[in-house]
Amino acid sequence: MGLPALEFSDCCLDSPHFRETLKSHEAELDKTNKFIKELIKDGKSLIVALKNLSSAKRKFADSLNEFKFQCIGDAETDDEMCIARSLQEFATVLRNLEDERIRMIENASEVLITPLEKFRKEQIGAAKEAKKKYDKETEKYCGILEKHLNLSSKKKESQLQEADSQVDLVRQHFYEVSLEYVFKVQEVQERKMFEFVEPLLAFLQGLFTFYHHGYELAKDFGDFKTQLTISIQNTRNRFEGTRSEVESLMKKMKENPLEHKTISPYTMEGYLYVQEKRHFGTSWVKHYCTYQRDSKQITMVPFDQKSGGKGGEDESVTLKSCTRRKTDSIEKRFCFDVEAVDRPGVITMQALSEEDRRLWMEAMDGREPVYNSNKDSQSEGTAQLDSIGFSIIRKCIHAVETRGINEQGLYRIVGVNSRVQKLLSVLMDPKTASETETDICAEWEIKTITSALKTYLRMLPGPLMMYQFQRSFIKAAKLENQETRVSEIHSLVHRLPEKNRQMLQLLMNHLANVANNHKQNLMTVANLGVVFGPTLLRPQEETVAAIMDIKFQNIVIEILIENHEKIFNTLPDVPLTNAQLHLSRKKSGDSKPPSCSERPLTLFHAMQSSEKQEQRNSMINSSLESVSSNANSVLNSSSSLQPNMNSSDPDLDVVKPTRPNSLPPNPSPTSPLSPSWPMFSAPSSPMPTSSTSSDSSPVRPEEAVHEDSSTPFRKAKALYACKAEHDSELSFIAGTVFDNVHPSQEPGWLEGTLNGKTGLIPENYVEFL
């Protein structure tokens, strides 16, 4: 298990977990620094003490063999594993060279000692200086904050405002210093993967040059040397891309830190000062507190950043009430009182500011809570996977393959942005797009066309390989066995919607052609993975951990290119289960479901039916044999194999219905857009049937819902948790019971009441009681 990633959002929070993570990174840097220092010392003695050459070389080899790399993240790429294994390989080579009685080492100082000393002084030394600055600012900020919080509320308003402004300036400076320190630590950890190993490789190459007796050994070492050189270059390329991404994220965090906060499992968390009664009076103890609204649990951890550790045992209480503390009732500012169910008395807490107190009060329902609608993470784009979109991509591919397949740096070299936008506006014009036979004019440069293709893919409402499958693809790339990686990615590709998979196949076939000409265009499969990985498989949330996974995104694209014929032209080896056969039989008796744009996706991922199966069937009396043959025909004819109903993949969550932008003013009862009751029940709650019905006669969906037409308002229970994305929606957890549930005016949604608030509920998230 590697080192956990340091998130920039945690700099502002400055939690105990963040401090512990930072300590682990600092310990790793100290370990690396000590090792490099020892390695340099051994190298110098190797050069100077020729008489002790044999013993010095063996000690040096032993040092290499004992060191183990610690990478950021929970898995390593093949290149990183190759680099991590390289030190042991080097040690083996050195021991073999000692057997051959090598007598001289030349140019070792230039190729080995100097780069390591430069790395140690410039990188690790800079990180140490940043740590000193960070520790100094931490002490300064905490001291000023405590002094500020101890100000009496009876002072003049102008004095209090001036003090608030001073604290804000110090806090902002501390936050910036923290961000810069975390960035430097991340940078050094990544740099050592190539700036540390590369000098060692050069040193070994020099040894092979000067010693004739080592020729055979060098010949045997050649394959691994080539592999390691490629791995180092790939790691360097990934680092350069990752570093720019991390630096861009750091700048965004500096400009607006509130918009990039990490999603927390807690409703509210942060530092509070808790009033504690002592024999000599009262004291205010700093605690890191968390609150969860669902369980009403408040956890208080005594912790002081200055001392760097806990000041006592954790304490958890259940919230009973929360009341704002009046200013004239206590000398401290920003105070509020908390009553607990399982603890007598009142707990008085002091927030860090007026805004902080307001957030704590809202979280604990001290006042009427204000629900802030979440910012939609998907920007509305004009690009779509429609006939125009496919036409644009085909035109770009045709132009590249006929005019520029051998251009060096194809897809890596970008075009002028104004020209790219102009070309896209021409291609996306409905009049131009309808002319399918018209090719892109020769006046457009190849780099402009390739940039237009990549830009169009980025303009889609979501990535081509979809947010919900992003983590699954990354997990597949992290598997150790190459065949297992290909098999898992093969299965995931066939879970994509039809148009996404068709577009992906079109693109991968083209990229395979590009890679086949890599001797001319210099674009290998690895280079194409670097270019298209972040475009086709970008994460929904921009974090440091997500940026560190870019290397695995690239591996997914490499696998798709290398295995495109198998992945897109054959079905994955997934047997048809009894549950899917049963589902196929049940769906044959249902009326035609609305299209995806008219109703939400079903709660479970059943196999797509053929066009005939989607039509209304007047008679449903099929035997099990006919169902099996029908299911097999679906499996053979359908180009999309959906995942198993019982899939445990956490990334394949229930799909929420998409809210339409507009609705017809008066939808008719028979209109596809009219409000409807749930078409399907949850997997754990199969569609109810009457006591006299058989397997071949399922109850119609309308009957399963409307047991009594005289009771339009019913109770319903949530099967899954749901977080509201709009003010009109309700947030809830699994097991929540709603009152007065009835159809809403929006397809795919119900309307119900929870704790006195009425709002919308996704119909495929609930079952009726």
Side-chain angles (χ1 to χ4, degrees):
M1 190 67 181
L3 294 173
L6 287 169
E7 296 292 350
F8 287 126
S9 56
D10 290 339
C11 293
C12 180
L13 202 58
D14 199 15
S15 65
H17 175 71
F18 168 75
R19 289 281 178 162
E20 292 298 327
T21 304
L22 191 58
K23 279 186 177 180
S24 65
H25 280 263
E26 292 171 351
E28 176 61 20
L29 283 180
D30 289 338
K31 179 181 175 183
T32 303
N33 182 44
K34 292 178 181 178
F35 176 75
I36 293 176
K37 191 175 180 180
E38 184 68 21
L39 194 63
I40 292 173
K41 179 181 177 181
D42 293 342
K44 288 182 178 179
S45 64
L46 187 65
I47 296 171
V48 176
L50 293 177
K51 294 181 180 180
N52 299 322
L53 178 60
S54 180
S55 60
K57 283 179 60 180
R58 289 190 180 277
K59 186 175 185 296
F60 185 71
D62 292 340
S63 298
L64 291 178
N65 193 53
E66 291 173 0
F67 184 76
K68 299 291 187 295
F69 275 113
Q70 290 291 336
C71 301
I72 297 176
D74 56 356
E76 297 177 346
T77 64
D78 291 340
D79 291 329
E80 289 174 337
M81 287 188 286
C82 178
I83 292 174
R85 195 176 74 250
S86 63
L87 298 186
Q88 285 70 38
E89 294 289 336
F90 296 156
T92 302
V93 170
L94 288 175
R95 292 191 185 103
N96 291 333
L97 286 175
E98 171 56 21
D99 295 337
E100 297 294 331
R101 301 288 182 177
I102 299 176
R103 299 173 60 186
M104 291 182 63
I105 299 176
E106 295 182 2
N107 297 327
S109 179
E110 181 180 354
V111 300
L112 176 66
I113 306 302
T114 303
L116 291 180
E117 287 181 337
K118 182 179 178 182
F119 175 77
R120 179 170 168 266
K121 292 178 181 179
E122 295 181 1
Q123 300 301 325
I124 299 181
K128 288 186 175 182
E129 290 299 322
K131 172 176 170 54
K132 292 179 182 178
K133 185 177 179 182
Y134 175 71
D135 292 339
K136 182 178 179 181
E137 289 299 324
T138 298
E139 185 174 359
K140 179 181 177 182
Y141 167 67
C142 293
I144 291 179
L145 181 62
E146 290 182 358
K147 182 179 178 181
H148 176 69
L149 294 176
N150 288 324
L151 286 176
S152 174
S153 59
K154 296 179 180 180
K155 288 185 176 293
K156 293 182 179 180
E157 185 65 25
S158 60
Q159 293 178 335
L160 294 176
Q161 290 179 355
E162 182 179 356
D164 290 344
S165 300
Q166 183 182 2
V167 170
D168 288 341
L169 290 175
V170 174
R171 182 186 295 112
Q172 180 64 27
H173 184 63
F174 167 72
Y175 180 49
E176 292 178 358
V177 170
S178 178
L179 286 173
E180 291 171 357
Y181 177 48
V182 168
F183 172 73
K184 189 61 182 177
V185 170
Q186 296 271 18
E187 179 183 13
V188 175
Q189 293 283 24
E190 286 293 296
R191 277 183 178 275
K192 72 178 182 181
M193 294 296 292
F194 53 88
E195 290 193 3
F196 177 53
V197 178
E198 200 168 24
L200 297 172
L201 180 63
F203 168 70
L204 290 179
Q205 184 61 40
L207 292 180
F208 292 138
T209 304
F210 288 101
Y211 296 98
H212 174 72
H213 295 289
Y215 172 75
E216 290 297 329
L217 182 60
K219 187 176 180 181
D220 295 338
F221 187 77
D223 291 339
F224 180 77
K225 182 190 70 174
T226 302
Q227 180 184 358
L228 181 59
T229 304
I230 295 173
S231 297
I232 291 173
Q233 186 60 44
N234 290 342
T235 305
R236 183 192 296 276
N237 293 339
R238 288 167 183 160
F239 163 76
E240 291 172 355
T242 302
R243 184 181 185 279
S244 61
E245 293 285 344
V246 174
E247 188 173 11
S248 174
L249 179 59
M250 183 188 71
K251 291 179 180 178
K252 291 179 183 178
M253 294 294 298
K254 283 185 177 181
E255 293 171 0
N256 199 342
L258 296 179
E259 286 192 3
H260 296 82
K261 282 190 174 180
T262 305
I263 298 176
S264 172
Y266 302 106
T267 308
M268 185 66 185
E269 61 180 321
Y271 282 100
L272 293 172
Y273 283 80
V274 180
Q275 187 182 44
E276 295 184 357
K277 295 182 179 180
R278 304 287 173 87
H279 295 292
F280 52 83
T282 60
S283 63
W284 294 85
V285 181
K286 194 174 187 179
H287 289 69
Y288 189 83
C289 302
T290 60
Y291 173 70
Q292 209 161 24
R293 176 176 286 151
D294 295 335
S295 60
K296 293 191 174 183
Q297 286 291 317
I298 305 174
T299 303
M300 298 176 289
V301 181
F303 190 88
D304 193 339
Q305 297 104 313
K306 291 189 297 183
S307 61
K310 290 185 179 181
E313 297 296 327
D314 301 357
E315 182 179 5
S316 294
V317 297
T318 303
L319 176 68
K320 180 179 180 181
S321 65
C322 177
T323 308
R324 184 187 299 276
R325 189 69 177 262
K326 293 183 179 180
T327 305
D328 55 3
S329 66
I330 191 171
E331 290 189 0
K332 297 281 187 178
R333 306 169 65 198
F334 320 133
C335 294
F336 57 95
D337 292 336
V338 170
E339 289 187 81
V341 176
D342 45 3
R343 172 175 165 172
V346 175
I347 306 173
T348 301
M349 297 181 171
Q350 182 184 25
L352 303 183
S353 64
E354 185 62 39
E355 176 66 15
D356 191 37
R357 178 171 67 171
R358 182 184 68 80
L359 293 175
W360 279 103
M361 294 288 294
E362 289 180 0
M364 295 182 180
D365 296 326
R367 60 170 67 181
E368 189 66 17
V370 179
Y371 295 100
N372 296 322
S373 60
N374 294 330
K375 183 178 179 181
D376 192 357
S377 60
Q378 273 193 355
S379 58
E380 294 294 332
T382 57
Q384 298 292 335
L385 292 178
D386 52 11
S387 58
I388 295 179
F390 276 87
S391 174
I392 291 172
I393 299 300
R394 287 193 181 100
K395 288 179 181 179
C396 292
I397 290 175
H398 178 72
V400 171
E401 293 189 347
T402 55
R403 294 197 282 121
I405 195 71
N406 292 327
E407 282 203 12
Q408 290 189 1
L410 192 64
Y411 285 108
R412 182 182 287 276
I413 300 175
V414 297
V416 179
N417 184 58
S418 58
R419 294 279 293 169
V420 173
Q421 296 301 325
K422 185 175 180 180
L423 175 58
L424 279 175
S425 63
V426 172
L427 293 176
M428 295 175 70
D429 186 354
K431 298 179 181 179
T432 307
S434 61
E435 302 173 2
T436 56
E437 300 300 327
T438 303
D439 293 334
I440 298 177
C441 299
E443 65 179 85
W444 298 101
E445 295 179 297
I446 292 299
K447 64 180 181 180
T448 303
I449 297 173
T450 56
S451 296
L453 184 147
K454 292 186 293 183
T455 303
Y456 189 86
L457 292 175
R458 286 193 290 265
M459 288 170 59
L460 293 172
L464 189 60
M465 298 172 73
M466 302 185 69
Y467 289 127
Q468 70 185 91
F469 294 101
Q470 196 263 351
R471 292 303 308 164
S472 297
F473 278 111
I474 295 299
K475 290 177 183 177
K478 293 179 178 180
L479 296 174
E480 294 184 3
N481 185 276
Q482 179 69 11
E483 293 182 2
T484 310
R485 293 183 195 173
V486 176
S487 176
E488 185 66 20
I489 292 176
H490 188 184
S491 177
L492 289 170
V493 166
H494 283 266
R495 297 180 188 179
L496 294 173
E498 180 72 18
K499 289 185 177 180
N500 294 62
R501 190 172 62 258
Q502 289 177 354
M503 179 65 80
L504 188 62
Q505 180 178 6
L506 179 66
L507 187 61
M508 290 303 115
N509 289 340
H510 167 60
L511 295 183
N513 292 335
V514 174
N516 289 337
N517 293 272
H518 69 274
K519 291 184 178 179
Q520 292 78 28
N521 57 39
L522 305 182
M523 293 303 293
T524 61
V525 172
N527 291 339
L528 292 172
V530 172
V531 173
F532 281 91
T535 298
L536 302 180
L537 205 59
R538 67 180 183 271
Q540 192 163 11
E541 185 182 4
E542 188 179 12
T543 63
V544 173
I547 294 173
M548 293 302 166
D549 278 340
I550 289 178
K551 53 196 175 186
F552 295 105
Q553 297 174 12
N554 304 342
I555 291 175
V556 173
I557 304 304
E558 293 174 21
I559 291 175
L560 289 175
I561 296 174
E562 293 174 342
N563 303 273
H564 66 100
E565 292 185 358
K566 174 185 176 181
I567 290 176
F568 294 101
N569 297 331
T570 62
L571 292 175
D573 299 330
V574 179
L576 192 66
T577 63
N578 292 334
Q580 289 173 317
L581 289 172
H582 180 64
L583 174 62
S584 177
R585 183 180 73 250
K586 289 176 68 178
K587 288 188 69 176
S588 65
D590 294 336
S591 59
K592 179 182 179 181
S595 65
C596 291
S597 60
E598 297 169 345
R599 71 176 304 280
L601 296 175
T602 57
L603 184 59
F604 45 85
H605 298 280
M607 292 193 304
Q608 293 182 355
S609 303
S610 62
E611 186 174 352
K612 287 186 178 181
Q613 288 173 321
E614 291 180 353
Q615 299 177 352
R616 180 183 297 273
N617 295 328
S618 58
M619 300 294 293
I620 312 170
N621 290 307
S622 60
S623 65
L624 183 59
E625 294 181 359
S626 63
V627 171
S628 301
S629 61
N630 183 37
N632 290 330
S633 65
V634 173
L635 182 62
N636 295 328
S637 61
S638 173
S639 61
S640 171
L641 184 63
Q642 297 295 332
N644 190 292
M645 287 170 52
N646 300 322
S647 172
S648 61
D649 194 333
D651 295 315
L652 303 180
D653 294 333
V654 179
V655 181
K656 284 182 62 178
T658 303
R659 300 275 301 280
N661 293 329
S662 60
L663 295 171
N666 294 307
S668 64
T670 59
S671 169
L673 293 176
S674 62
S676 61
W677 292 89
M679 295 295 292
F680 301 96
S681 59
S684 59
S685 178
M687 186 180 297
T689 59
S690 63
S691 59
T692 60
S693 63
S694 64
D695 290 344
S696 61
S697 301
V699 178
R700 290 173 56 81
E702 294 81 4
E703 296 172 358
V705 175
H706 297 287
E707 296 176 356
D708 185 0
S709 59
S710 64
T711 57
F713 297 96
R714 306 181 56 197
K715 286 182 176 291
K717 183 175 74 173
L719 297 168
Y720 304 94
C722 177
K723 185 175 181 181
E725 297 181 355
H726 301 278
D727 289 339
S728 58
E729 301 175 14
L730 294 176
S731 295
F732 52 86
I733 62 173
T736 302
V737 178
F738 306 95
D739 297 321
N740 301 329
V741 180
H742 57 280
S744 73
Q745 293 299 316
E746 298 190 16
W749 294 80
L750 304 175
E751 191 170 294
T753 304
L754 177 62
N755 296 332
K757 180 181 178 180
T758 301
L760 296 176
I761 311 164
E763 68 177 6
N764 52 358
Y765 274 51
V766 300
E767 65 177 359
F768 288 88
L769 303 176

